[in-house]
Amino acid sequence: MRDIHEVLDRRAVTPLFQPLVEISTGRVLGYEALSRGPAGSPWERPDDLFAAARVAGRESELDWICRARAYEGALAAGYDPELTLFVNMEPAAAGTPCPPDLLPLIECARHRLRVVTEVTERALAGDPSGLLLAVAASRAADWGVALDDVGADPMSLALMPFVHPDVVKLDMGMLRAPGDPHTARVVAAVAAYAEASGAIVLAEGIETEEHLAIARTMGATVGQGWHFGRPAALPDGPSAGATLPFIPPPTADDRTPYTIVGARRPLTRATKAQLMPISRHLEALAFDEGEPSVLLACFQDARHFTPATARRFGRLAGNSPLVAALGTGLTEEPAPGVRGACLDDEDALRGEWNVIVVGPHRAAALVARDLGDTGAESERRFDFALTHDRALVIEAARSLLGRLAPLRSLDAAFEELVDVLGVHAGEGARG
């Protein structure tokens, strides 16, 4: 083929499939679809294929092609509906309409296949809200979600509870460096999440018996790699040895952090001057380079996001997967690298001062409600609560994430994705 445009125009992508195996029994639970460009061409390798499509401005289209071709291959092979099909998705493509010629395959897959959408941690830092949008769309189709390559970038661990994946895929580098302190931190964070949520831990890159033994010590119950099978065409009529379970998705909550935490923790009254040291302490936790953390803060009004605060948050953003500031009058990027959200005057958050930190191994939230004093700024009083309960902190943080628009309108993009997938209220084929 002459160029990448011809490859894409002809949809010249071939899917290969690698088995996912239950380590304790050897039963096949599903397959991951892996895409290849035309054999013998400069675009045969997936990284070269996507790099060329990115330069051509057609990366999102390629992503749709790869997914559609994977669904087509599984359907043609008579894929057992109890088998799970893992398919990668670039979150950058989440809000891009599906090419019309591929829509029939996407619709057929929704009704006939049990799919897990894999998202990679490299997308977390680039557009966390966009990633959560893609995750929400997959769950709207009653499909599962996997977080891929966990451990390659420590920043992903802080956002893992917000993605709330059904499957956590340990990067193959973990198996090659089991004694590394970074590996130990990643494994501990993943194990804590899996224990709390019921998620499956899957180890990638298992090539030897030694790798398999290490994977077991890391809590993996599902394995993938050459030890179990290399990427290849699907056998005819692949059947499931067992069904990989999905976990319940997080419950949507339109309450504010103060109402969430205040309903379950005792409230205390204090002045702004008395609360400032607590607020600064939580910010300092987020600045720990050894544990990159999410920092979400509500400032009530843009005047409280002072130039000094903007500089401080900008520095924090350089070491965090997500730093966000919400308040009336704030812009979409009130400081370099900081995600902003402008609150309406009638928004309940307008009366709250919240500072929430979520890291791989720590979580803390200060939630406070303004009592409406009109005196000196430092003497303004708030009812507040402080919690380090991880589950409660994450619940409070999740209530803010939906207010952070991704790189395009959250509501518009989600509705578009739902329409593309053909999902309607009460429909779905999950499980």
Side-chain angles (χ1 to χ4, degrees):
M1 294 191 179
R2 293 170 298 178
D3 57 29
I4 186 62
H5 292 288
E6 185 175 359
V7 172
L8 299 179
D9 290 343
R10 294 190 179 187
R11 310 312 199 210
V13 173
T14 300
L16 300 178
F17 300 86
Q18 188 171 36
L20 309 175
V21 176
E22 188 175 50
I23 290 175
S24 62
T25 64
R27 296 183 298 184
V28 174
L29 302 178
Y31 291 83
E32 179 180 355
L34 304 167
S35 299
R36 301 290 185 267
S41 76
W43 312 285
E44 181 174 2
R45 288 170 49 92
D47 50 349
D48 295 329
L49 179 66
F50 271 88
R54 191 174 303 117
V55 171
R58 299 178 69 179
E59 182 182 16
S60 295
E61 182 182 0
L62 173 59
D63 190 73
W64 278 109
I65 294 169
C66 290
R67 278 182 277 156
R69 295 285 283 145
Y71 301 150
E72 182 181 40
L75 292 166
Y79 207 76
D80 186 336
E82 294 301 311
L83 274 174
T84 305
L85 179 66
F86 281 58
V87 178
N88 291 278
M89 181 177 71
E90 292 292 330
T96 304
C98 177
D101 64 301
L102 302 179
L103 275 173
L105 282 171
I106 302 298
E107 179 67 10
C108 188
R110 186 182 72 83
H111 289 291
R112 294 177 55 188
L113 296 176
R114 189 173 192 273
V115 175
V116 166
T117 300
E118 289 194 31
V119 293
T120 59
E121 61 180 14
R122 68 178 177 274
L124 299 177
D127 187 11
S129 298
L131 174 66
L132 297 177
L133 163 69
V135 166
S138 291
R139 290 207 165 101
D142 284 339
W143 287 353
V145 175
L147 185 57
D148 196 11
D149 300 332
V150 171
D153 183 344
M155 287 194 179
S156 69
L157 296 175
L159 277 167
M160 184 165 57
F162 303 119
V163 177
H164 199 72
D166 301 274
V167 180
V168 179
K169 301 186 73 174
L170 294 174
D171 182 74
M172 65 175 63
M174 302 291 100
L175 299 182
R176 274 68 175 171
D180 189 286
H182 169 67
T183 299
R185 288 193 293 269
V186 171
V187 169
V190 170
Y193 168 74
E195 184 176 356
S197 66
I200 296 293
V201 178
L202 185 156
E204 298 181 291
I206 297 177
E207 298 181 358
T208 65
E209 286 290 342
E210 181 182 5
H211 290 157
L212 182 59
I214 293 171
R216 290 178 184 271
T217 68
M218 294 179 174
T221 58
V222 179
Q224 179 181 0
W226 289 2
H227 182 73
F228 302 111
R230 299 196 178 203
L234 276 174
D236 289 335
S239 59
T243 300
L244 187 147
F246 294 156
I247 62 176
T251 303
D253 197 331
D254 58 1
R255 295 179 296 164
T256 65
Y258 178 85
T259 55
I260 290 170
V261 176
R264 292 156 61 182
R265 292 294 182 271
L267 296 171
T268 305
R269 188 160 294 179
T271 66
K272 180 176 180 178
Q274 292 168 331
L275 292 177
M276 282 302 300
I278 302 174
S279 176
R280 290 293 183 87
H281 170 67
L282 296 191
E283 291 179 19
L285 291 180
F287 199 67
D288 183 351
E289 294 184 0
E291 187 174 343
S293 302
V294 170
L295 173 63
L296 308 174
C298 300
F299 287 87
Q300 297 186 271
D301 190 87
R303 65 188 175 88
H304 300 306
F305 193 76
T306 65
T309 303
R311 290 192 295 270
R312 195 166 65 250
F313 271 54
R315 290 195 299 269
L316 288 168
N319 186 57
S320 169
L322 176 61
V323 173
L326 301 88
T328 301
L330 284 176
T331 63
E332 291 185 357
E333 190 176 14
V338 176
R339 189 63 57 85
C342 181
L343 303 178
D344 296 332
D345 289 338
E346 303 304 316
D347 195 316
L349 274 180
R350 179 75 170 76
E352 293 189 14
W353 172 17
N354 302 309
V355 183
I356 302 175
V357 177
V358 179
H361 305 287
R362 66 162 67 101
L366 166 67
V367 299
R369 184 174 62 186
D370 193 338
L371 295 180
D373 294 337
T374 58
E377 182 70 23
S378 63
E379 296 304 311
R380 289 170 54 216
R381 294 173 303 157
F382 294 80
D383 283 341
F384 81 96
L386 180 67
T387 180
H388 292 265
D389 182 308
R390 185 173 183 82
L392 186 56
V393 172
I394 290 171
E395 186 179 346
R398 188 176 284 123
S399 72
L400 295 179
L401 290 177
R403 298 170 184 265
L404 301 177
L407 300 183
R408 62 199 300 266
S409 166
L410 181 69
D411 292 337
F414 180 76
E415 291 300 325
E416 185 175 272
L417 265 174
V418 168
D419 288 344
V420 164
L421 288 171
V423 179
H424 304 285
E427 291 189 9
R430 188 171 185 166

